[in-house]
């Protein structure tokens, strides 16, 4: 018997206000599943405050305690989480994940182009609307003319894979018109091509970031000190697994950053737990194996993994500020998964912060840089 579709992801809402919602995932396992689930949760604006993970290499059981927005679309979140899980077959037993499966076809890339009158917070309002429409921003070019008009070019993909239809296009246009109201002048959406090829073609060969930015670690205005991250590895406590113990300060997307690193290294988390203690201090215990199912005994591999984890925890995003004559340039970089997916909502968070600071944005460029890919 296979597992029922509705039982793959189960939500248990809190009994009293302020308590976390418990998300249980019970499905076939695959390397990187935890990263994919955490990325979706982060995209929906939720924070993981506790996590338990257990797997035998074929089947996994994941429990996540999350807190966040009051207006979370739980039914849609469940749909997205179920979609990230490997499939089950109730007719012929369990169909386990296989690394030999063909990768999914790249999503179509669309160009959203609109002209409007400029106003404070405009870019964040547009970004928020695109997030609510489940449109993923891949590349942006924004410019402001001297007469107070804005030309915005958003290269986007559609999570729903429906933007090629006239109904979805018209709904998107009307939604943005409702967001911008009288500021809107005109809007157009056109198909560009497969996302992977077009974004790669648009990306320059060298990084735009100065060398100093890679040595800075800023997350929501808080500097993460070197002594706030401790990583230890132990091969003596388990006959089959390497134990990774991490003590660090919490930050937005912490669990995602750890899971993404393991996914990029093709490392399987066989058992793990994560919880936040007082003052945002986090304790994380993870029993892991390499892709071949063996411990990590090579000191060089241990050092490489430990160094990468430390970098991701100390530098969740890179932020730099440079003077460009009369203007100020804000440079923000974040790591990208090997699959090409960037950290969710970075552009949303940046525009929100600048809106709250009452800082005007008159030009924006976003692209994928090989430095962090």
């Amino acid at each position: 018997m296979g597992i029922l579709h509705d039982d793959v992801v189960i939500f248990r809402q809190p009994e009293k206000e302020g308590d976390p919602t418990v998300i249980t995932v019970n499905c076939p396992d695959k390397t990187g599943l935890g990263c994919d689930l955490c990325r979706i949760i982060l995209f929906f604006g939720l924070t993981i405050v506790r996590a338990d993970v257990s797997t035998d290499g074929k089947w996994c059981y994941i429990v996540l305690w999350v807190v966040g927005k009051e207006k979370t679309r739980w039914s849609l979140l469940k749909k997205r989480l179920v979609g990230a899980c490997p499939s089950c077959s109730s007719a012929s037993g369990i169909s386990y994940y296989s690394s030999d499966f063909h990768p999914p076809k790249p999503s179509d890339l669309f160009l959203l182009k609109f002209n409007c009158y400029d106003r404070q917070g405009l870019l964040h309002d547009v970004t928020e609307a695109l997030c609510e429409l489940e449109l993923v921003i891949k590349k942006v070019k924004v410019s402001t003319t001297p007469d107070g008009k804005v030309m915005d070019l958003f290269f986007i993909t559609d999570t729903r894979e429906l933007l090629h239809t006239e109904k979805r296009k018209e709904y998107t246009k009307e939604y943005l018109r409702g967001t911008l109201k009288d500021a809107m002048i005109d809007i157009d959406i056109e198909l560009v091509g497969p996302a992977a090829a077009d974004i790669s073609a648009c990306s320059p060969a060298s990084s735009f970031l100065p060398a100093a930015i890679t040595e800075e670690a800023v997350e929501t205005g808080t500097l993460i000190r070197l002594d706030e991250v401790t990583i230890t590895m132990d091969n003596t406590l388990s006959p089959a697994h390497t134990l990774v113990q991490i003590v660090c300060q919490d930050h937005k997307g912490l669990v995602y950053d750890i899971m993404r690193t393991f996914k990029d290294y093709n490392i399987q988390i066989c058992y793990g737990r994560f919880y936040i203690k007082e003052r945002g201090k986090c304790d994380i215990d993870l029993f892991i194996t390499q892709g071949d199912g063996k411990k990590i005994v090579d000191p060089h591999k241990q050092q490489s993994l430990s160094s990468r984890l430390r970098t991701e925890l100390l530098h969740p995003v890179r932020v730099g500020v440079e003077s460009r004559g009369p203007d100020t340039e804000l440079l923000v970089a974040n790591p990208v998964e090997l699959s090409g997916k960037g950290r969710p909502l970075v552009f949303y968070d940046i525009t929100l912060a600048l809106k709250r600071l009452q800082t005007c944005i008159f030009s924006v460029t976003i692209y994928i840089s090989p430095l962090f890919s």
Side-chain angles (χ1 to χ4, degrees):
M1 291 291 293
I3 190 170
L4 295 176
H5 184 273
D6 288 342
D7 293 336
V8 173
V9 177
I10 298 175
F11 292 158
R12 188 174 78 239
Q13 297 296 341
E15 295 181 356
K16 59 180 181 179
E17 187 177 355
D19 285 351
T21 298
V22 182
I23 302 175
T24 302
V25 181
N26 188 19
C27 68
D29 195 17
K30 68 172 182 177
T31 301
L33 176 61
C35 171
D36 298 342
L37 297 177
C38 290
R39 188 179 193 281
I40 293 170
I41 290 172
L42 183 58
F43 184 81
F44 274 75
L46 300 174
T47 300
I48 299 172
V49 296
R50 181 182 168 190
D52 284 329
V53 179
S54 180
T55 178
D56 60 1
K58 294 182 178 180
W59 197 270
C60 72
Y61 185 72
I62 302 173
V63 185
L64 304 169
W65 287 258
V66 302
V67 297
K69 300 189 300 183
E70 296 180 359
K71 298 182 179 179
T72 300
R73 294 176 288 177
W74 295 106
S75 60
L76 182 58
L77 173 58
K78 180 174 181 176
K79 181 179 179 181
R80 296 290 174 254
L81 293 174
V82 170
C85 296
S87 62
C88 311
S89 173
S90 58
S92 57
I94 300 170
S95 176
Y96 293 121
Y97 171 82
S98 171
S99 59
D100 295 331
F101 286 175
H102 296 293
K105 178 184 176 182
S107 300
D108 286 332
L109 185 70
F110 293 85
L111 173 60
L112 168 64
K113 177 171 61 176
F114 62 87
N115 295 322
C116 60
Y117 297 105
D118 195 17
R119 61 171 169 77
Q120 189 171 313
L122 172 70
L123 189 56
H124 174 70
D125 294 342
V126 174
T127 303
E128 184 175 32
L130 294 179
C131 289
E132 292 171 349
L133 288 165
E134 296 185 83
L135 299 173
V136 179
I137 301 171
K138 294 292 186 178
K139 188 171 181 285
V140 178
K141 179 65 177 178
V142 175
S143 57
T144 306
T145 61
D147 60 352
K149 295 180 182 179
V150 177
M151 166 67 79
D152 286 355
L153 303 176
F154 285 83
F155 290 86
I156 56 177
T157 59
D158 185 9
T159 303
R160 302 183 188 178
E161 299 288 351
L162 293 173
L163 200 54
H164 62 282
T165 65
E166 287 302 318
K167 182 178 180 180
R168 176 71 162 151
K169 284 183 181 179
E170 289 304 315
Y171 180 80
T172 299
K173 291 178 182 179
E174 288 304 315
Y175 198 94
L176 287 169
R177 290 190 184 103
T179 299
L180 299 179
K181 296 182 172 58
D182 294 340
M184 175 66 73
I185 299 176
D186 62 71
I187 182 172
D188 186 45
I189 301 174
E190 62 183 58
L191 175 65
V192 176
D198 285 273
I199 289 296
S200 299
C202 292
S203 299
S206 60
S207 170
F208 72 104
L209 295 170
I213 198 172
T214 62
E215 300 176 359
E216 298 182 16
V218 180
E219 176 71 18
T220 60
T222 302
L223 185 65
I224 303 174
R225 300 197 313 269
L226 187 63
D227 59 1
E228 291 182 334
V229 176
T230 302
I231 301 172
T232 57
M233 296 190 184
D234 194 326
N235 279 313
T236 64
L237 296 178
S238 170
H241 310 103
T242 296
L243 170 62
V244 179
Q245 293 179 302
I246 303 173
V247 179
C248 62
Q249 197 70 23
D250 187 29
H251 65 256
K252 182 177 181 180
L254 171 65
V255 181
Y256 167 74
D257 290 333
I258 294 173
M259 294 291 190
R260 172 175 47 79
T261 302
F262 284 133
K263 180 181 180 181
D264 287 349
Y265 273 76
N266 194 30
I267 287 175
Q268 181 79 39
I269 300 175
C270 302
Y271 172 77
R273 64 185 182 91
F274 158 88
Y275 63 93
I276 301 176
K277 301 192 298 185
E278 295 181 356
R279 298 182 179 179
K281 208 73 173 180
C282 298
D283 273 359
I284 304 161
D285 296 326
L286 304 168
F287 288 85
I288 64 173
T289 60
Q290 300 178 115
D292 58 6
K294 298 179 180 180
K295 291 183 178 184
I296 305 176
V297 295
D298 186 335
H300 296 291
K301 290 183 178 179
Q302 288 187 12
Q303 178 60 34
S304 176
L305 177 59
S306 179
S307 176
R308 173 69 180 274
L309 283 169
R310 183 179 296 275
T311 298
E312 300 303 334
L313 297 178
L314 288 171
H315 305 260
V317 294
R318 283 76 164 176
V319 179
V321 178
E322 289 198 356
S323 176
R324 302 293 187 186
D327 306 317
T328 300
E329 185 174 46
L330 174 66
L331 306 175
V332 182
N334 67 280
V336 176
E337 296 175 32
L338 292 180
S339 63
K341 295 180 180 179
R343 183 189 185 90
L345 299 183
V346 171
F347 190 57
Y348 173 91
D349 292 336
I350 293 169
T351 55
L352 176 60
L354 294 176
K355 180 179 180 180
R356 289 176 175 174
L357 291 170
Q358 298 183 345
T359 300
C360 295
I361 304 171
F362 66 88
S363 180
V364 176
T365 302
I366 293 181
Y367 51 73
I368 297 176
S369 167
L371 180 63
F372 299 105
S373 62

